[in-house]
Amino acid sequence: MNRHRTSPRPCPTTRTRLAAGDRTRTVTAGIDGTLAGMDAADWAAREALRRGVPLRLLHVAADQDHQPRIRRAGPADRARGVLDRAAITLSYVHPALRIHAQQPSGPTAAALLAAAADAETLVLGSRSPAGFGGFLVGSVASAVAARAERPVVLVRAGECPEDAHVPDTDGGPSRSTPYRPVVLALDLPLPAEELLGYAFDAAAVRGAPLHVLHVWTVPPLDACAPGRAVPDVLAERAEDARRELAAELLPWRRAYPATKVVERVRSGRTGHHVLKAATGASLLVVGRRAQAGPRLGRTADSAVRHVACPIAVVPHG
């Protein structure tokens, strides 16, 4: 890992904007006509407002290539109705938001992957009867998150605006209190420029603290040098992990001086610590190694199965 750089590379949103102008300056939400889909679309609308970009609503119409000609308008009309109702609802709730609606046809996963390539973030909901839901391995949502070129945010059904904010002074839900922390699960020393850029950007647009978690693996006892006490070896490994994390975050701290960063180094099972750290978060950011092929990876897969807050899966490396 290069420890001599003085500033991070541009975050993925910035880098893509420089390369493609305004082409990718949207947050895209895949909707399916369910209430769970609308919860995700509303989260996407708020994210678009935070970032100052338009919202693109996407509803994939059924593939009509093999349908009789007299029936070909049916699925498209239903899809257009879903889009129109969603756009009207969101424009009423968020009058300042620019909304664009698109209605591609064909396989759902392929259409969503194509949309993700042209967006800053793709947002999908849970528990869709059309295949978006549950965040289970093999579902459309998991397949898209595992293959998309851009970040994919998975939003649980029932997600409310108040869930992203700390309670008010009486302990009740609020939309005007500060945002809950953004949590980043960071695996070192893997390259993670895109992952760090997304997490810092997400925290900055919310004015939220960023909690960065790195979990290191306890070495097997037979790997300890002869004559050295195991507690000493573990303490040394922990200190090395803290130094490595601090060095990785230093240029990003300088690039985002207004963002409060909390560094957390733990040992043991990554999934356990990620679940614990994400409790009470407004957003969990996890990485997916792009070169590892079309799969989420162990940490991301565990997170989407068990974490309650929205989860951003960011390809990197």
Side-chain angles (χ1 to χ4, degrees):
M1 181 176 297
N2 181 8
R3 294 301 183 194
H4 301 292
R5 64 176 181 266
T6 57
S7 61
R9 301 171 190 169
C11 70
T13 54
T14 303
R15 183 167 57 250
T16 305
R17 291 172 195 168
L18 292 175
D22 286 340
R23 183 174 66 87
T24 62
R25 293 213 63 196
T26 64
V27 171
T28 296
I31 60 174
D32 56 7
T34 66
L35 292 177
M38 280 303 299
D39 291 337
D42 187 62
W43 189 97
R46 287 178 272 124
E47 184 71 1
L49 286 171
R50 284 188 287 263
R51 295 179 177 271
V53 300
L55 171 68
R56 178 170 54 164
L57 294 176
L58 191 75
H59 183 15
V60 182
D63 190 346
Q64 304 169 38
D65 290 343
H66 303 291
Q67 293 183 6
R69 181 177 301 273
I70 192 171
R71 296 180 57 194
R72 286 188 176 182
D77 287 344
R78 288 194 293 272
R80 175 52 58 181
V82 170
L83 282 170
D84 289 344
R85 288 191 296 273
I88 291 171
T89 299
L90 292 173
S91 64
Y92 179 79
V93 178
H94 309 285
L97 181 64
R98 292 169 291 164
I99 301 175
H100 307 296
Q102 290 186 355
Q103 184 184 335
S105 60
T108 301
L112 290 173
L113 286 169
D118 290 335
E120 288 190 359
T121 301
L122 173 67
V123 182
L124 300 176
S126 69
R127 296 186 178 86
S128 162
F132 281 94
F135 303 156
L136 298 176
V137 175
S139 72
V140 170
S142 290
V144 172
R147 296 166 56 196
E149 300 176 5
R150 307 285 302 151
V152 175
V153 176
L154 305 176
V155 179
R156 298 286 184 181
E159 179 74 17
C160 299
E162 296 86 350
D163 296 334
H165 296 264
V166 299
D168 61 22
T169 54
D170 296 326
S174 173
R175 300 189 186 188
S176 59
T177 53
Y179 279 94
R180 296 175 183 267
V182 172
V183 173
L184 166 63
L186 186 61
D187 189 7
L188 297 173
L190 298 176
E193 300 287 350
E194 296 87 351
L195 185 60
L196 284 159
Y198 186 92
F200 270 88
D201 198 40
V205 298
R206 290 164 172 77
L210 176 62
H211 293 185
V212 183
L213 171 69
H214 170 55
V215 181
W216 59 277
T217 303
V218 177
L221 294 180
D222 57 7
C224 298
R228 296 194 62 192
V230 171
D232 293 340
V233 173
L234 298 182
E236 182 179 302
R237 292 289 181 94
E239 184 58 30
D240 287 345
R242 282 191 286 269
R243 283 197 298 263
E244 188 174 14
L245 179 59
E248 185 71 20
L249 295 180
L250 180 59
W252 294 94
R253 285 177 175 271
R254 291 171 176 168
Y256 291 84
T259 298
K260 178 182 178 181
V261 181
V262 178
E263 301 175 17
R264 295 178 175 175
V265 175
R266 301 288 186 268
S267 64
R269 294 184 293 115
T270 300
H272 166 76
H273 289 295
V274 169
L275 177 59
K276 186 176 179 180
T279 302
S282 62
L283 178 68
L284 171 66
V285 182
V286 296
R288 174 182 65 81
R289 297 185 64 186
Q291 67 271 29
R295 58 183 181 181
L296 282 176
R298 183 179 299 176
T299 299
D301 182 66
S302 175
V304 299
R305 290 174 182 272
H306 301 295
V307 171
C309 70
I311 303 166
V313 180
V314 182
H316 67 93

